[in-house]
Amino acid sequence: MFRFPLFILITLIVAFGGGIMISLYALDATQGFGAIKLGAWEAFPALQTVEADPYAKSHRARAGKLLYGSAEGLTFTASVDDDGARLNANCRYRISGQTPPARLWTLFTADNGGNPAAVKAGHPSALNSWTVLRQPDSSFSIEISAAAQPGNWLALPEAGTFRLVLTLFDTPTAGSSGVIDLAMPKLTKTGCGNA
């Protein structure tokens, strides 16, 4: 007598629960379509525009983040180095070269959710274009490691994987289709552990 209603109840729980879980996974897995990958760096130029796809709009609404207008800024993230290996706090990295033209840029270490990483108190977890030390040709080199380094240095969390977030503010490239032709700084692994 109760087998048929129980069967319907289980079917509905699986259908709705599975649908909700798959939807949440899809929102966490991607920020939408139209990604541009330049070396280790990835950006979604249409993410904050009216033309953004429904997945991007949902991701934006769920995260509750304030995004920049198409001419205000462009955010690049890197979760792998230039060789395609996942960024790991047990290793050391170097960012070298120049950023695309921008009035200001910021760079910070983030956890896998895109939130600023928890580093030891007093250690730098962010740099910007006004504080970075440069070469005479305007290029720079930033060391990224858990241990302090001379010059430009970003601290890493004690363990686990991380990502880097580079935001270009007031950049002419944010509103143009020439984003794919940009030259981004190189992100190379310089060692792991004590080696």
Side-chain angles (χ1 to χ4, degrees):
M1 177 166 132
F2 291 110
R3 278 184 18 193
F4 189 68
L6 183 62
F7 176 72
I8 291 175
L9 179 65
I10 291 173
T11 303
L12 290 174
I13 289 173
V14 169
F16 284 112
I20 290 170
M21 294 301 289
I22 289 171
S23 298
L24 292 176
Y25 174 76
L27 289 176
D28 288 338
T30 182
Q31 294 185 19
F33 301 105
I36 294 178
K37 191 145 174 72
L38 303 169
W41 303 97
E42 183 177 41
F44 294 87
L47 181 66
Q48 54 265 35
T49 64
V50 175
E51 294 82 26
D53 63 270
Y55 288 102
K57 290 179 182 178
S58 298
H59 189 275
R60 179 173 64 199
R62 184 167 185 255
K65 292 184 179 176
L66 178 63
L67 298 175
Y68 312 109
S70 60
E72 293 176 333
L74 186 60
T75 300
F76 288 88
T77 59
S79 55
V80 297
D81 61 20
D82 281 343
D83 294 329
R86 186 76 174 96
L87 297 179
N88 191 313
N90 294 325
C91 297
R92 296 179 305 283
Y93 300 91
R94 178 177 295 127
I95 295 177
S96 58
Q98 295 183 353
T99 63
R103 186 174 306 272
L104 172 73
W105 57 260
T106 61
L107 173 70
F108 68 91
T109 55
D111 61 18
N112 292 319
N115 303 311
V119 298
K120 291 181 181 176
H123 288 188
S125 61
L127 287 172
N128 63 54
S129 56
W130 293 347
T131 59
V132 72
L133 301 172
R134 297 179 185 270
Q135 302 295 327
D137 64 352
S138 290
S139 66
F140 57 84
S141 179
I142 301 171
E143 300 296 323
I144 304 169
S145 68
Q149 303 291 320
N152 298 318
W153 169 56
L154 274 181
L156 290 178
E158 293 185 12
T161 57
F162 68 96
R163 67 175 56 175
L164 296 167
V165 179
L166 173 67
T167 305
L168 307 174
F169 293 98
D170 196 12
T171 176
T173 58
S176 71
S177 60
V179 176
I180 201 159
D181 297 327
L182 295 178
M184 295 297 291
K186 296 189 181 309
L187 175 56
T188 54
K189 185 188 298 183
T190 58
C192 287
N194 295 325

